[in-house]
Amino acid sequence: MTDPVELGARSAAQRLTTPHIPHLATDVEAALHARQSTTRPDQYLDPISLGALIVSVASLAWTVYSDLKKQTPTPHRDVITRHVRIRLDQSEAPPHALSSTDRDRYIDITIEETLNAAQDTAPGQE
């Protein structure tokens, strides 16, 4: 089975790549490779850390989705997003390099792409 976290993070990186951060996909790949590590950056200050933010959000979105799916067959995207934001706010200092608008955009797109990947890899659709 394809990993929805990887698919979601990669899709989000493609959508979020701009001329200002042209190597975001590469940074996400590096973060995916290192995601088994027990250390995490304190802040998301550079493009590599932005890749780590995307992978972190994708992993968290998948965990929240999986947990909520045990309670309801189709968890609503807004509920998943709310849970992810609450957990991120509890566990991380706000990134200084991103405005709150940009941070929200990164989170929203990553959650959207991860949930799309989860639906694409649902049993019976492989």
Side-chain angles (χ1 to χ4, degrees):
M1 180 172 159
T2 305
D3 184 3
V5 172
E6 291 179 9
L7 290 173
R10 287 179 178 126
S11 295
Q14 287 179 348
R15 286 181 59 188
L16 292 165
T17 295
T18 68
H20 299 292
I21 46 173
H23 304 292
L24 187 57
T26 303
D27 300 334
V28 166
E29 288 300 326
L32 285 169
H33 181 70
R35 79 177 172 154
Q36 301 305 321
S37 172
T38 58
T39 60
R40 292 174 41 173
D42 292 332
Q43 299 180 37
Y44 302 103
L45 297 176
D46 57 41
I48 293 173
S49 293
L50 291 176
L53 171 64
I54 289 171
V55 172
S56 178
V57 170
S59 296
L60 187 53
W62 175 247
T63 300
V64 169
Y65 172 80
S66 297
D67 290 348
L68 290 175
K69 195 155 173 69
K70 294 174 188 173
Q71 299 169 4
T72 182
T74 312
H76 196 272
R77 186 174 305 236
D78 291 342
V79 173
I80 295 167
T81 301
R82 189 174 332 113
H83 279 266
V84 168
R85 287 185 192 285
I86 289 169
R87 289 187 188 180
L88 282 174
D89 289 342
Q90 290 172 346
S91 66
E92 300 177 358
H96 297 291
L98 290 176
S99 69
S100 60
T101 302
D102 286 343
R103 180 178 182 264
D104 289 346
R105 188 170 144 260
Y106 274 66
I107 290 169
D108 291 342
I109 288 173
T110 303
I111 291 169
E112 178 182 337
E113 292 297 340
T114 303
L115 295 179
N116 289 344
Q119 292 171 355
D120 291 345
T121 60
Q125 293 184 2
E126 295 181 53

